[in-house]
Amino acid sequence: SSGINAELPLRPGITQSDIKSYRDDFLKDITIDCLAMGNVLSEQASEYSNILQSKLSTLGKAEIVAGDRLKSFLYPALKIKNGTNYVIRRKVLNLEDPNSGALVQYQIGLMYSNGPYTDRKPFYRYALVRLLGLAMKERCFNYLRTQQQLGYLASCFEEAYKDILIYNILVQGSRADKGAEVMAEEIDKFVQLTYDEFSNMPQDTIDKFFGGIKIAMKKQLEDQPISMSLKYDRYALEIFRGMPDFERRAKQSAAIDDITFDDFLEFYYRYLVGGSRRKISTRVFGKDDTIPNVGGDSGNSGGDYILDDEVIVDDVVQFREKHLSGKFGRED
């Protein structure tokens, strides 16, 4: 990296001497950040960096910044205690922003662990999370955006954050009568209503609905990248995972074959509505959306929609220190 503009202005009459002078200015004070990936020993990475340094430092004082960059991508997320529902309420940073939002997150567990499903195929739980996302996607939009008209954005999706599986439901909007508290309440209602719908679904509907999403998910997993750049993106993403597995998608597809609708319902209950769920509800209040105050030291806690198991997070730093139980184990 260099502190000067790397673009040489185009103008008539540029000579070779001009180009060499520009090069000398560009190289006279640089640092080298070399990222080595793959089957490379640390000694080899150091050797390659030094070779690069020798070629670039003849005109200046090139400096090698050494360190294991991969570690910055791999540190584990902290685990929320089972059976807890944490609520964070905050005002928007830009106090003129009219938008409010609510993000409800359910922590599932390590993406490369099956958790309690120890007798199932590899990535069985991961496959269940993905099926959940596909099963709820349209229902989420229809209920939260179309029916309840909470805002312009309503979505639910699974993600792997630092190798931890998380299921998210997000709503954002700027209606004065449907702020962050209402959004959070409606998200909770949606989760329960959808579970009730699935639990009471007739068998002929189950066959069509669940069979359809299994086929759709297997197709997504088995589709191959159509370009080199897409293939690169897929493999690069895997390289940076805590436990890379380039057969992950094929294993998820195989796991889907064994998942029944009863398995799906049990998973839904365990991680989204049951007493052992791990949940964080974050509510951000826009310009004209007032944070309800029913206690707390900073005025950022409290609310008029309180669940029996709700824990108000007033200080996020303190929350991380006191309320999180540590790293995930393979059994989580």
Side-chain angles (χ1 to χ4, degrees), residues 140-172:
C140 172
F141 184 88
N142 288 343
Y143 180 82
L144 296 173
R145 188 181 186 280
T146 304
Q147 183 177 334
Q148 300 302 319
Q149 299 184 2
L150 297 178
Y152 50 81
L153 174 64
S155 65
C156 57
F157 54 97
E158 77 285 352
E159 66 173 332
Y161 177 73
K162 303 187 188 303
D163 287 350
I164 304 302
L165 290 174
I166 300 172
Y167 192 73
N168 304 281
I169 304 179
L170 171 67
V171 178
Q172 186 169 318

PDB file of all heavy atoms in Angstrom, residues 140-172:
ATOM      1  N   CYS A 140     -43.032 -14.928   5.368  1.00  0.00           N
ATOM      2  CA  CYS A 140     -42.501 -13.756   6.063  1.00  0.00           C
ATOM      3  C   CYS A 140     -42.886 -12.477   5.338  1.00  0.00           C
ATOM      4  O   CYS A 140     -43.387 -11.522   5.947  1.00  0.00           O
ATOM      5  CB  CYS A 140     -40.978 -13.881   6.166  1.00  0.00           C
ATOM      6  SG  CYS A 140     -40.135 -12.420   6.792  1.00  0.00           S
ATOM      7  N   PHE A 141     -42.674 -12.441   4.029  1.00  0.00           N
ATOM      8  CA  PHE A 141     -43.005 -11.256   3.244  1.00  0.00           C
ATOM      9  C   PHE A 141     -44.514 -10.984   3.268  1.00  0.00           C
ATOM     10  O   PHE A 141     -44.951  -9.851   3.473  1.00  0.00           O
ATOM     11  CB  PHE A 141     -42.520 -11.441   1.803  1.00  0.00           C
ATOM     12  CG  PHE A 141     -42.717 -10.241   0.932  1.00  0.00           C
ATOM     13  CD1 PHE A 141     -41.735  -9.256   0.862  1.00  0.00           C
ATOM     14  CD2 PHE A 141     -43.873 -10.082   0.189  1.00  0.00           C
ATOM     15  CE1 PHE A 141     -41.916  -8.141   0.061  1.00  0.00           C
ATOM     16  CE2 PHE A 141     -44.053  -8.967  -0.614  1.00  0.00           C
ATOM     17  CZ  PHE A 141     -43.075  -7.992  -0.677  1.00  0.00           C
ATOM     18  N   ASN A 142     -45.296 -12.042   3.086  1.00  0.00           N
ATOM     19  CA  ASN A 142     -46.754 -11.877   3.017  1.00  0.00           C
ATOM     20  C   ASN A 142     -47.329 -11.355   4.334  1.00  0.00           C
ATOM     21  O   ASN A 142     -48.194 -10.468   4.339  1.00  0.00           O
ATOM     22  CB  ASN A 142     -47.421 -13.200   2.655  1.00  0.00           C
ATOM     23  CG  ASN A 142     -47.190 -13.585   1.207  1.00  0.00           C
ATOM     24  OD1 ASN A 142     -46.809 -12.745   0.384  1.00  0.00           O
ATOM     25  ND2 ASN A 142     -47.386 -14.852   0.889  1.00  0.00           N
ATOM     26  N   TYR A 143     -46.860 -11.906   5.464  1.00  0.00           N
ATOM     27  CA  TYR A 143     -47.429 -11.499   6.751  1.00  0.00           C
ATOM     28  C   TYR A 143     -46.905 -10.145   7.212  1.00  0.00           C
ATOM     29  O   TYR A 143     -47.688  -9.239   7.548  1.00  0.00           O
ATOM     30  CB  TYR A 143     -47.132 -12.556   7.820  1.00  0.00           C
ATOM     31  CG  TYR A 143     -47.697 -12.176   9.180  1.00  0.00           C
ATOM     32  CD1 TYR A 143     -49.026 -12.416   9.489  1.00  0.00           C
ATOM     33  CD2 TYR A 143     -46.897 -11.560  10.139  1.00  0.00           C
ATOM     34  CE1 TYR A 143     -49.554 -12.051  10.726  1.00  0.00           C
ATOM     35  CE2 TYR A 143     -47.411 -11.193  11.376  1.00  0.00           C
ATOM     36  CZ  TYR A 143     -48.732 -11.434  11.662  1.00  0.00           C
ATOM     37  OH  TYR A 143     -49.251 -11.063  12.881  1.00  0.00           O
ATOM     38  N   LEU A 144     -45.583  -9.983   7.252  1.00  0.00           N
ATOM     39  CA  LEU A 144     -45.005  -8.782   7.855  1.00  0.00           C
ATOM     40  C   LEU A 144     -45.101  -7.555   6.952  1.00  0.00           C
ATOM     41  O   LEU A 144     -45.320  -6.447   7.443  1.00  0.00           O
ATOM     42  CB  LEU A 144     -43.538  -9.049   8.209  1.00  0.00           C
ATOM     43  CG  LEU A 144     -43.324 -10.136   9.276  1.00  0.00           C
ATOM     44  CD1 LEU A 144     -41.843 -10.442   9.426  1.00  0.00           C
ATOM     45  CD2 LEU A 144     -43.913  -9.711  10.613  1.00  0.00           C
ATOM     46  N   ARG A 145     -44.985  -7.736   5.659  1.00  0.00           N
ATOM     47  CA  ARG A 145     -45.018  -6.577   4.761  1.00  0.00           C
ATOM     48  C   ARG A 145     -46.394  -6.351   4.160  1.00  0.00           C
ATOM     49  O   ARG A 145     -46.963  -5.269   4.251  1.00  0.00           O
ATOM     50  CB  ARG A 145     -43.997  -6.728   3.643  1.00  0.00           C
ATOM     51  CG  ARG A 145     -43.852  -5.461   2.796  1.00  0.00           C
ATOM     52  CD  ARG A 145     -42.833  -5.647   1.674  1.00  0.00           C
ATOM     53  NE  ARG A 145     -42.578  -4.413   0.949  1.00  0.00           N
ATOM     54  CZ  ARG A 145     -43.350  -3.919   0.001  1.00  0.00           C
ATOM     55  NH1 ARG A 145     -44.461  -4.564  -0.343  1.00  0.00           N
ATOM     56  NH2 ARG A 145     -43.036  -2.790  -0.607  1.00  0.00           N
ATOM     57  N   THR A 146     -46.969  -7.405   3.542  1.00  0.00           N
ATOM     58  CA  THR A 146     -48.240  -7.220   2.831  1.00  0.00           C
ATOM     59  C   THR A 146     -49.424  -7.133   3.789  1.00  0.00           C
ATOM     60  O   THR A 146     -50.232  -6.204   3.722  1.00  0.00           O
ATOM     61  CB  THR A 146     -48.446  -8.377   1.843  1.00  0.00           C
ATOM     62  OG1 THR A 146     -47.322  -8.459   0.962  1.00  0.00           O
ATOM     63  CG2 THR A 146     -49.717  -8.157   1.031  1.00  0.00           C
ATOM     64  N   GLN A 147     -49.529  -8.079   4.707  1.00  0.00           N
ATOM     65  CA  GLN A 147     -50.694  -8.113   5.595  1.00  0.00           C
ATOM     66  C   GLN A 147     -50.603  -7.076   6.711  1.00  0.00           C
ATOM     67  O   GLN A 147     -51.540  -6.296   6.917  1.00  0.00           O
ATOM     68  CB  GLN A 147     -50.834  -9.514   6.199  1.00  0.00           C
ATOM     69  CG  GLN A 147     -52.067  -9.679   7.090  1.00  0.00           C
ATOM     70  CD  GLN A 147     -52.200 -11.106   7.609  1.00  0.00           C
ATOM     71  OE1 GLN A 147     -51.718 -12.055   6.998  1.00  0.00           O
ATOM     72  NE2 GLN A 147     -52.860 -11.259   8.749  1.00  0.00           N
ATOM     73  N   GLN A 148     -49.486  -7.037   7.428  1.00  0.00           N
ATOM     74  CA  GLN A 148     -49.342  -6.102   8.548  1.00  0.00           C
ATOM     75  C   GLN A 148     -48.821  -4.735   8.118  1.00  0.00           C
ATOM     76  O   GLN A 148     -48.892  -3.786   8.898  1.00  0.00           O
ATOM     77  CB  GLN A 148     -48.416  -6.700   9.607  1.00  0.00           C
ATOM     78  CG  GLN A 148     -48.909  -8.010  10.195  1.00  0.00           C
ATOM     79  CD  GLN A 148     -50.283  -7.879  10.826  1.00  0.00           C
ATOM     80  OE1 GLN A 148     -50.576  -6.895  11.497  1.00  0.00           O
ATOM     81  NE2 GLN A 148     -51.141  -8.872  10.595  1.00  0.00           N
ATOM     82  N   GLN A 149     -48.283  -4.657   6.900  1.00  0.00           N
ATOM     83  CA  GLN A 149     -47.800  -3.383   6.342  1.00  0.00           C
ATOM     84  C   GLN A 149     -46.850  -2.662   7.308  1.00  0.00           C
ATOM     85  O   GLN A 149     -46.991  -1.472   7.588  1.00  0.00           O
ATOM     86  CB  GLN A 149     -48.984  -2.491   5.981  1.00  0.00           C
ATOM     87  CG  GLN A 149     -49.898  -3.090   4.928  1.00  0.00           C
ATOM     88  CD  GLN A 149     -51.020  -2.160   4.508  1.00  0.00           C
ATOM     89  OE1 GLN A 149     -51.125  -1.030   4.961  1.00  0.00           O
ATOM     90  NE2 GLN A 149     -51.870  -2.644   3.619  1.00  0.00           N
ATOM     91  N   LEU A 150     -45.860  -3.410   7.788  1.00  0.00           N
ATOM     92  CA  LEU A 150     -44.918  -2.839   8.755  1.00  0.00           C
ATOM     93  C   LEU A 150     -43.872  -1.939   8.116  1.00  0.00           C
ATOM     94  O   LEU A 150     -43.296  -1.085   8.787  1.00  0.00           O
ATOM     95  CB  LEU A 150     -44.210  -3.970   9.512  1.00  0.00           C
ATOM     96  CG  LEU A 150     -45.116  -4.868  10.363  1.00  0.00           C
ATOM     97  CD1 LEU A 150     -44.286  -5.955  11.017  1.00  0.00           C
ATOM     98  CD2 LEU A 150     -45.840  -4.044  11.415  1.00  0.00           C
ATOM     99  N   GLY A 151     -43.598  -2.138   6.852  1.00  0.00           N
ATOM    100  CA  GLY A 151     -42.567  -1.322   6.213  1.00  0.00           C
ATOM    101  C   GLY A 151     -42.266  -1.800   4.819  1.00  0.00           C
ATOM    102  O   GLY A 151     -42.949  -2.655   4.262  1.00  0.00           O
ATOM    103  N   TYR A 152     -41.194  -1.267   4.268  1.00  0.00           N
ATOM    104  CA  TYR A 152     -40.831  -1.585   2.886  1.00  0.00           C
ATOM    105  C   TYR A 152     -39.915  -2.802   2.792  1.00  0.00           C
ATOM    106  O   TYR A 152     -39.631  -3.296   1.701  1.00  0.00           O
ATOM    107  CB  TYR A 152     -40.145  -0.388   2.234  1.00  0.00           C
ATOM    108  CG  TYR A 152     -39.021   0.208   3.050  1.00  0.00           C
ATOM    109  CD1 TYR A 152     -37.754  -0.358   3.045  1.00  0.00           C
ATOM    110  CD2 TYR A 152     -39.240   1.329   3.849  1.00  0.00           C
ATOM    111  CE1 TYR A 152     -36.731   0.177   3.809  1.00  0.00           C
ATOM    112  CE2 TYR A 152     -38.218   1.869   4.618  1.00  0.00           C
ATOM    113  CZ  TYR A 152     -36.976   1.291   4.589  1.00  0.00           C
ATOM    114  OH  TYR A 152     -35.960   1.816   5.353  1.00  0.00           O
ATOM    115  N   LEU A 153     -39.425  -3.295   3.929  1.00  0.00           N
ATOM    116  CA  LEU A 153     -38.516  -4.437   3.919  1.00  0.00           C
ATOM    117  C   LEU A 153     -38.947  -5.451   4.964  1.00  0.00           C
ATOM    118  O   LEU A 153     -39.120  -5.118   6.138  1.00  0.00           O
ATOM    119  CB  LEU A 153     -37.082  -3.991   4.214  1.00  0.00           C
ATOM    120  CG  LEU A 153     -36.032  -5.099   4.386  1.00  0.00           C
ATOM    121  CD1 LEU A 153     -35.867  -5.878   3.088  1.00  0.00           C
ATOM    122  CD2 LEU A 153     -34.694  -4.508   4.824  1.00  0.00           C
ATOM    123  N   ALA A 154     -39.112  -6.702   4.548  1.00  0.00           N
ATOM    124  CA  ALA A 154     -39.413  -7.803   5.467  1.00  0.00           C
ATOM    125  C   ALA A 154     -38.791  -9.062   4.882  1.00  0.00           C
ATOM    126  O   ALA A 154     -39.127  -9.456   3.762  1.00  0.00           O
ATOM    127  CB  ALA A 154     -40.915  -7.977   5.650  1.00  0.00           C
ATOM    128  N   SER A 155     -37.899  -9.674   5.619  1.00  0.00           N
ATOM    129  CA  SER A 155     -37.227 -10.862   5.093  1.00  0.00           C
ATOM    130  C   SER A 155     -36.781 -11.773   6.227  1.00  0.00           C
ATOM    131  O   SER A 155     -36.625 -11.337   7.367  1.00  0.00           O
ATOM    132  CB  SER A 155     -36.008 -10.460   4.248  1.00  0.00           C
ATOM    133  OG  SER A 155     -35.023  -9.838   5.055  1.00  0.00           O
ATOM    134  N   CYS A 156     -36.604 -13.034   5.914  1.00  0.00           N
ATOM    135  CA  CYS A 156     -36.032 -13.988   6.854  1.00  0.00           C
ATOM    136  C   CYS A 156     -34.992 -14.805   6.107  1.00  0.00           C
ATOM    137  O   CYS A 156     -35.174 -15.149   4.938  1.00  0.00           O
ATOM    138  CB  CYS A 156     -37.109 -14.872   7.475  1.00  0.00           C
ATOM    139  SG  CYS A 156     -38.118 -15.786   6.320  1.00  0.00           S
ATOM    140  N   PHE A 157     -33.892 -15.102   6.775  1.00  0.00           N
ATOM    141  CA  PHE A 157     -32.783 -15.756   6.080  1.00  0.00           C
ATOM    142  C   PHE A 157     -31.827 -16.368   7.099  1.00  0.00           C
ATOM    143  O   PHE A 157     -31.694 -15.887   8.222  1.00  0.00           O
ATOM    144  CB  PHE A 157     -32.026 -14.742   5.210  1.00  0.00           C
ATOM    145  CG  PHE A 157     -31.554 -13.516   5.940  1.00  0.00           C
ATOM    146  CD1 PHE A 157     -30.263 -13.426   6.420  1.00  0.00           C
ATOM    147  CD2 PHE A 157     -32.426 -12.451   6.166  1.00  0.00           C
ATOM    148  CE1 PHE A 157     -29.830 -12.293   7.109  1.00  0.00           C
ATOM    149  CE2 PHE A 157     -32.005 -11.312   6.850  1.00  0.00           C
ATOM    150  CZ  PHE A 157     -30.698 -11.233   7.318  1.00  0.00           C
ATOM    151  N   GLU A 158     -31.196 -17.425   6.681  1.00  0.00           N
ATOM    152  CA  GLU A 158     -30.180 -18.062   7.506  1.00  0.00           C
ATOM    153  C   GLU A 158     -28.806 -17.550   7.093  1.00  0.00           C
ATOM    154  O   GLU A 158     -28.600 -17.138   5.957  1.00  0.00           O
ATOM    155  CB  GLU A 158     -30.235 -19.586   7.370  1.00  0.00           C
ATOM    156  CG  GLU A 158     -29.642 -20.153   6.103  1.00  0.00           C
ATOM    157  CD  GLU A 158     -30.500 -19.963   4.871  1.00  0.00           C
ATOM    158  OE1 GLU A 158     -31.657 -19.521   5.013  1.00  0.00           O
ATOM    159  OE2 GLU A 158     -30.024 -20.257   3.757  1.00  0.00           O
ATOM    160  N   GLU A 159     -27.865 -17.557   8.024  1.00  0.00           N
ATOM    161  CA  GLU A 159     -26.500 -17.181   7.704  1.00  0.00           C
ATOM    162  C   GLU A 159     -25.543 -17.915   8.635  1.00  0.00           C
ATOM    163  O   GLU A 159     -25.935 -18.398   9.699  1.00  0.00           O
ATOM    164  CB  GLU A 159     -26.278 -15.669   7.831  1.00  0.00           C
ATOM    165  CG  GLU A 159     -26.411 -15.141   9.251  1.00  0.00           C
ATOM    166  CD  GLU A 159     -26.017 -13.675   9.369  1.00  0.00           C
ATOM    167  OE1 GLU A 159     -25.185 -13.219   8.557  1.00  0.00           O
ATOM    168  OE2 GLU A 159     -26.539 -13.005  10.271  1.00  0.00           O
ATOM    169  N   ALA A 160     -24.302 -17.998   8.206  1.00  0.00           N
ATOM    170  CA  ALA A 160     -23.244 -18.569   9.043  1.00  0.00           C
ATOM    171  C   ALA A 160     -22.294 -17.427   9.389  1.00  0.00           C
ATOM    172  O   ALA A 160     -21.506 -16.989   8.566  1.00  0.00           O
ATOM    173  CB  ALA A 160     -22.513 -19.677   8.303  1.00  0.00           C
ATOM    174  N   TYR A 161     -22.415 -16.914  10.611  1.00  0.00           N
ATOM    175  CA  TYR A 161     -21.586 -15.802  11.061  1.00  0.00           C
ATOM    176  C   TYR A 161     -20.453 -16.346  11.905  1.00  0.00           C
ATOM    177  O   TYR A 161     -20.670 -16.883  12.979  1.00  0.00           O
ATOM    178  CB  TYR A 161     -22.427 -14.811  11.858  1.00  0.00           C
ATOM    179  CG  TYR A 161     -21.643 -13.656  12.445  1.00  0.00           C
ATOM    180  CD1 TYR A 161     -21.166 -12.646  11.616  1.00  0.00           C
ATOM    181  CD2 TYR A 161     -21.383 -13.588  13.804  1.00  0.00           C
ATOM    182  CE1 TYR A 161     -20.443 -11.585  12.138  1.00  0.00           C
ATOM    183  CE2 TYR A 161     -20.664 -12.526  14.340  1.00  0.00           C
ATOM    184  CZ  TYR A 161     -20.197 -11.533  13.503  1.00  0.00           C
ATOM    185  OH  TYR A 161     -19.474 -10.491  14.026  1.00  0.00           O
ATOM    186  N   LYS A 162     -19.216 -16.244  11.384  1.00  0.00           N
ATOM    187  CA  LYS A 162     -18.036 -16.785  12.065  1.00  0.00           C
ATOM    188  C   LYS A 162     -18.252 -18.251  12.431  1.00  0.00           C
ATOM    189  O   LYS A 162     -17.965 -18.703  13.539  1.00  0.00           O
ATOM    190  CB  LYS A 162     -17.683 -15.952  13.292  1.00  0.00           C
ATOM    191  CG  LYS A 162     -17.430 -14.477  12.976  1.00  0.00           C
ATOM    192  CD  LYS A 162     -16.915 -13.757  14.187  1.00  0.00           C
ATOM    193  CE  LYS A 162     -16.847 -12.240  13.914  1.00  0.00           C
ATOM    194  NZ  LYS A 162     -16.034 -11.900  12.757  1.00  0.00           N
ATOM    195  N   ASP A 163     -18.807 -18.989  11.459  1.00  0.00           N
ATOM    196  CA  ASP A 163     -19.054 -20.423  11.577  1.00  0.00           C
ATOM    197  C   ASP A 163     -20.180 -20.769  12.545  1.00  0.00           C
ATOM    198  O   ASP A 163     -20.362 -21.931  12.905  1.00  0.00           O
ATOM    199  CB  ASP A 163     -17.789 -21.177  11.978  1.00  0.00           C
ATOM    200  CG  ASP A 163     -16.792 -21.269  10.825  1.00  0.00           C
ATOM    201  OD1 ASP A 163     -17.169 -20.926   9.695  1.00  0.00           O
ATOM    202  OD2 ASP A 163     -15.645 -21.671  11.058  1.00  0.00           O
ATOM    203  N   ILE A 164     -20.957 -19.777  12.982  1.00  0.00           N
ATOM    204  CA  ILE A 164     -22.116 -20.023  13.841  1.00  0.00           C
ATOM    205  C   ILE A 164     -23.385 -19.816  13.019  1.00  0.00           C
ATOM    206  O   ILE A 164     -23.568 -18.769  12.402  1.00  0.00           O
ATOM    207  CB  ILE A 164     -22.130 -19.072  15.055  1.00  0.00           C
ATOM    208  CG1 ILE A 164     -20.835 -19.189  15.848  1.00  0.00           C
ATOM    209  CG2 ILE A 164     -23.333 -19.378  15.936  1.00  0.00           C
ATOM    210  CD1 ILE A 164     -20.518 -20.560  16.353  1.00  0.00           C
ATOM    211  N   LEU A 165     -24.250 -20.823  12.992  1.00  0.00           N
ATOM    212  CA  LEU A 165     -25.509 -20.716  12.262  1.00  0.00           C
ATOM    213  C   LEU A 165     -26.477 -19.819  13.017  1.00  0.00           C
ATOM    214  O   LEU A 165     -26.703 -19.992  14.217  1.00  0.00           O
ATOM    215  CB  LEU A 165     -26.134 -22.103  12.081  1.00  0.00           C
ATOM    216  CG  LEU A 165     -25.421 -23.055  11.117  1.00  0.00           C
ATOM    217  CD1 LEU A 165     -26.078 -24.417  11.173  1.00  0.00           C
ATOM    218  CD2 LEU A 165     -25.438 -22.511   9.704  1.00  0.00           C
ATOM    219  N   ILE A 166     -27.052 -18.858  12.292  1.00  0.00           N
ATOM    220  CA  ILE A 166     -28.014 -17.923  12.866  1.00  0.00           C
ATOM    221  C   ILE A 166     -29.199 -17.814  11.918  1.00  0.00           C
ATOM    222  O   ILE A 166     -29.021 -17.771  10.695  1.00  0.00           O
ATOM    223  CB  ILE A 166     -27.386 -16.530  13.067  1.00  0.00           C
ATOM    224  CG1 ILE A 166     -26.178 -16.612  14.009  1.00  0.00           C
ATOM    225  CG2 ILE A 166     -28.409 -15.530  13.622  1.00  0.00           C
ATOM    226  CD1 ILE A 166     -25.392 -15.331  14.098  1.00  0.00           C
ATOM    227  N   TYR A 167     -30.398 -17.784  12.476  1.00  0.00           N
ATOM    228  CA  TYR A 167     -31.588 -17.543  11.666  1.00  0.00           C
ATOM    229  C   TYR A 167     -32.119 -16.156  11.992  1.00  0.00           C
ATOM    230  O   TYR A 167     -32.325 -15.816  13.161  1.00  0.00           O
ATOM    231  CB  TYR A 167     -32.659 -18.598  11.943  1.00  0.00           C
ATOM    232  CG  TYR A 167     -33.764 -18.552  10.927  1.00  0.00           C
ATOM    233  CD1 TYR A 167     -33.553 -19.023   9.638  1.00  0.00           C
ATOM    234  CD2 TYR A 167     -34.997 -18.002  11.233  1.00  0.00           C
ATOM    235  CE1 TYR A 167     -34.548 -18.963   8.677  1.00  0.00           C
ATOM    236  CE2 TYR A 167     -36.001 -17.937  10.294  1.00  0.00           C
ATOM    237  CZ  TYR A 167     -35.771 -18.412   9.010  1.00  0.00           C
ATOM    238  OH  TYR A 167     -36.765 -18.330   8.060  1.00  0.00           O
ATOM    239  N   ASN A 168     -32.308 -15.332  10.959  1.00  0.00           N
ATOM    240  CA  ASN A 168     -32.669 -13.923  11.112  1.00  0.00           C
ATOM    241  C   ASN A 168     -34.045 -13.627  10.540  1.00  0.00           C
ATOM    242  O   ASN A 168     -34.416 -14.165   9.489  1.00  0.00           O
ATOM    243  CB  ASN A 168     -31.664 -13.027  10.366  1.00  0.00           C
ATOM    244  CG  ASN A 168     -30.242 -13.252  10.808  1.00  0.00           C
ATOM    245  OD1 ASN A 168     -29.804 -12.774  11.833  1.00  0.00           O
ATOM    246  ND2 ASN A 168     -29.491 -13.992   9.994  1.00  0.00           N
ATOM    247  N   ILE A 169     -34.762 -12.743  11.213  1.00  0.00           N
ATOM    248  CA  ILE A 169     -35.994 -12.167  10.668  1.00  0.00           C
ATOM    249  C   ILE A 169     -35.873 -10.648  10.823  1.00  0.00           C
ATOM    250  O   ILE A 169     -35.673 -10.143  11.932  1.00  0.00           O
ATOM    251  CB  ILE A 169     -37.247 -12.683  11.386  1.00  0.00           C
ATOM    252  CG1 ILE A 169     -37.297 -14.209  11.335  1.00  0.00           C
ATOM    253  CG2 ILE A 169     -38.503 -12.091  10.745  1.00  0.00           C
ATOM    254  CD1 ILE A 169     -38.487 -14.814  12.046  1.00  0.00           C
ATOM    255  N   LEU A 170     -35.996  -9.943   9.710  1.00  0.00           N
ATOM    256  CA  LEU A 170     -35.707  -8.505   9.669  1.00  0.00           C
ATOM    257  C   LEU A 170     -36.884  -7.729   9.093  1.00  0.00           C
ATOM    258  O   LEU A 170     -37.475  -8.135   8.093  1.00  0.00           O
ATOM    259  CB  LEU A 170     -34.468  -8.255   8.801  1.00  0.00           C
ATOM    260  CG  LEU A 170     -34.120  -6.810   8.448  1.00  0.00           C
ATOM    261  CD1 LEU A 170     -33.699  -6.036   9.690  1.00  0.00           C
ATOM    262  CD2 LEU A 170     -33.009  -6.784   7.398  1.00  0.00           C
ATOM    263  N   VAL A 171     -37.217  -6.620   9.739  1.00  0.00           N
ATOM    264  CA  VAL A 171     -38.244  -5.693   9.241  1.00  0.00           C
ATOM    265  C   VAL A 171     -37.708  -4.276   9.356  1.00  0.00           C
ATOM    266  O   VAL A 171     -37.072  -3.920  10.363  1.00  0.00           O
ATOM    267  CB  VAL A 171     -39.567  -5.811  10.039  1.00  0.00           C
ATOM    268  CG1 VAL A 171     -40.597  -4.800   9.512  1.00  0.00           C
ATOM    269  CG2 VAL A 171     -40.127  -7.217   9.955  1.00  0.00           C
ATOM    270  N   GLN A 172     -37.966  -3.461   8.339  1.00  0.00           N
ATOM    271  CA  GLN A 172     -37.557  -2.054   8.388  1.00  0.00           C
ATOM    272  C   GLN A 172     -38.619  -1.204   7.703  1.00  0.00           C
ATOM    273  O   GLN A 172     -39.179  -1.588   6.683  1.00  0.00           O
ATOM    274  CB  GLN A 172     -36.207  -1.867   7.682  1.00  0.00           C
ATOM    275  CG  GLN A 172     -35.645  -0.459   7.809  1.00  0.00           C
ATOM    276  CD  GLN A 172     -34.202  -0.372   7.338  1.00  0.00           C
ATOM    277  OE1 GLN A 172     -33.408  -1.259   7.629  1.00  0.00           O
ATOM    278  NE2 GLN A 172     -33.871   0.673   6.622  1.00  0.00           N
TER     279      GLN A 172
END
